[in-house]
Amino acid sequence: ITYEAIVLNVNGQGADTPGDNQSGTLLNNLARFEWNNGADQNTANVSATEITVIEPSLTIDIDVSDNPTTGFGDTLSNVDANDRIYYRVQINSATGLPTAFDATLAGNLPAQLDPTSLQVESVSGGGLNSADFQFTGNVLEFSDANGEDIAGGTSIEVIVSGVVLETVEPDQNFNADAEIQWTSLDGEPGQRSTHTTQSTERTGADGGPDSNNAILDNYEATENTAAVTIRSVSVEKTIVSTSEAHTTGTDVAVGEIVRYRLLVRIPEGTLTDVALRDQLPPGLQFLNNSAKVALVSNSGTIASDEAGLNGASVVGDDTFVPTFDFPAGLITFNGNDPIFNLGTITNETDNDADPEFLIVEFDALVLNSDGTNSTTVNLNETFDSALNVSAGESASWTRAGNNTT
């Protein structure tokens, strides 16, 4: 008598699923001969050679870099709009494992990358090349709709890249992740026995990881540690000058005028609803019609959507002295504090390593008030820059000014 038996897709979970076919499980098939000659009789059990359940297993990793020649890591910071960034996806199967059949890949690159810029940079291992990969939107996939067969001992590496969209904002974070699923058998054999629905191949349909034996169809591996952060805004506040010749340094007289300079380094991208608030202490008064503004780059292409700031874009660096009058209608107040409203600033086309700046200068008067009658007056100021980001939150940065005596 000869017959065939199927290794069932079971994991011992539930009363109706006896058996636990996981990697390394030994299956011992026993047989004995029975007859009745007026009484039940049988031979002793005999067994065939035990068989061992083997399972394929894959791992996947994704990391990120701005220069693939210098290596990859889990995080990348200080990224600007229009930068090209690189992702490395690595797929591995340990030596001695069986083939993982019909593997499907989903490398989910962030929506902050321009899908038209995505490209495969290099491929190594597994007998694959760049033609074996494609992008569907921002998802990296195997080109073959049936997937790829990955033998034990195989290591595959694919490096892809994409350009960061111009709509990113300061301090914005976004992640990439990767997922791979596979099967225990080649093709789609379906249910192989009419006697049980468990006579199927094992897949990744139930999710993973494949080390979790409580999940039946657990042939899946995932990774999601490639995190990118857009460059932050940095701020600086200094005293440019004071009006009276008989005072020195930061020692000022009552009635003297102090000129302040606000310098904001802005990343490439889009800055929405930009507002700079100077927190003037009691004893200082903002002087109307004294504020000047400049949007500074080495190409002169930074722009605001506020019509009143047309002409504020200039070519220069962080030493530039602004000459464009800040429109009075764009200056509001919170108590004594002037708020310089600049609308939405786009810093998109100047795609280089040089920094770009927003510069505001204005005058403040040392008042003849009770707060300035003492010998030493604390006029320690702070400067806030608030930028509304797409999530509806706001970020602020403060920097202490100079003590004025």
Side-chain angles (χ1 to χ4, degrees), residues 346-388:
T346 54
N347 180 18
E348 300 174 352
T349 59
D350 189 25
N351 184 26
D352 56 28
D354 297 321
E356 292 80 47
F357 302 96
L358 165 62
I359 303 173
V360 174
E361 291 188 2
F362 68 94
D363 292 337
L365 175 67
V366 181
L367 296 176
N368 182 16
S369 64
D370 291 341
T372 56
N373 285 336
S374 60
T375 302
T376 300
V377 180
N378 181 9
L379 297 180
N380 187 42
E381 294 188 76
T382 60
F383 157 45
D384 273 354
S385 64
L387 293 85
N388 295 330

Side-chain angles (χ1 to χ4, degrees), residues 89 105-108 120 133-136 138-142 158 160:
V89 178
L105 171 67
N108 300 301
V120 177
F133 295 87
Q134 66 180 19
F135 289 99
T136 300
N138 282 36
V139 180
L140 175 67
E141 302 172 329
F142 291 128
V158 54
V160 300

Side-chain angles (χ1 to χ4, degrees), residues 21-183:
N21 284 341
Q22 305 296 332
S23 184
T25 297
L26 297 176
L27 300 179
N28 187 8
N29 188 9
L30 301 176
R32 66 182 180 182
F33 183 70
E34 298 180 351
W35 71 94
N36 188 298
N37 188 15
D40 291 336
Q41 300 185 56
N42 56 266
T43 63
N45 289 336
V46 294
S47 66
T49 302
E50 287 184 325
I51 60 175
T52 303
V53 176
I54 57 175
E55 292 191 272
S57 182
L58 300 177
T59 62
I60 193 167
D61 184 65
I62 184 169
D63 41 22
V64 64
S65 174
D66 58 358
N67 184 350
T69 63
T70 60
F72 288 81
D74 290 339
T75 62
L76 179 63
S77 58
N78 292 326
V79 173
D80 279 332
N82 296 309
D83 283 356
R84 180 169 288 275
I85 58 176
Y86 299 81
Y87 291 93
R88 180 180 63 182
V89 178
Q90 295 175 305
I91 303 167
N92 291 286
S93 176
T95 300
L97 293 181
T99 296
F101 290 104
D102 305 335
T104 58
L105 171 67
N108 300 301
L109 302 185
Q112 289 77 14
L113 297 185
D114 181 355
T116 65
S117 73
L118 299 177
Q119 60 190 40
V120 177
E121 300 286 341
S122 65
V123 177
S124 63
L128 303 178
N129 57 52
S130 59
D132 295 306
F133 295 87
Q134 66 180 19
F135 289 99
T136 300
N138 282 36
V139 180
L140 175 67
E141 302 172 329
F142 291 128
S143 300
D144 190 336
N146 296 318
E148 297 288 344
D149 298 338
I150 302 175
T154 298
S155 294
I156 300 169
E157 178 182 284
V158 54
I159 296 176
V160 300
S161 71
V163 174
V164 179
L165 289 169
E166 297 174 346
T167 52
V168 295
E169 302 207 11
D171 284 327
Q172 187 173 356
N173 298 286
F174 47 85
N175 296 329
D177 62 75
E179 170 191 297
I180 191 165
Q181 295 186 354
W182 61 95
T183 66

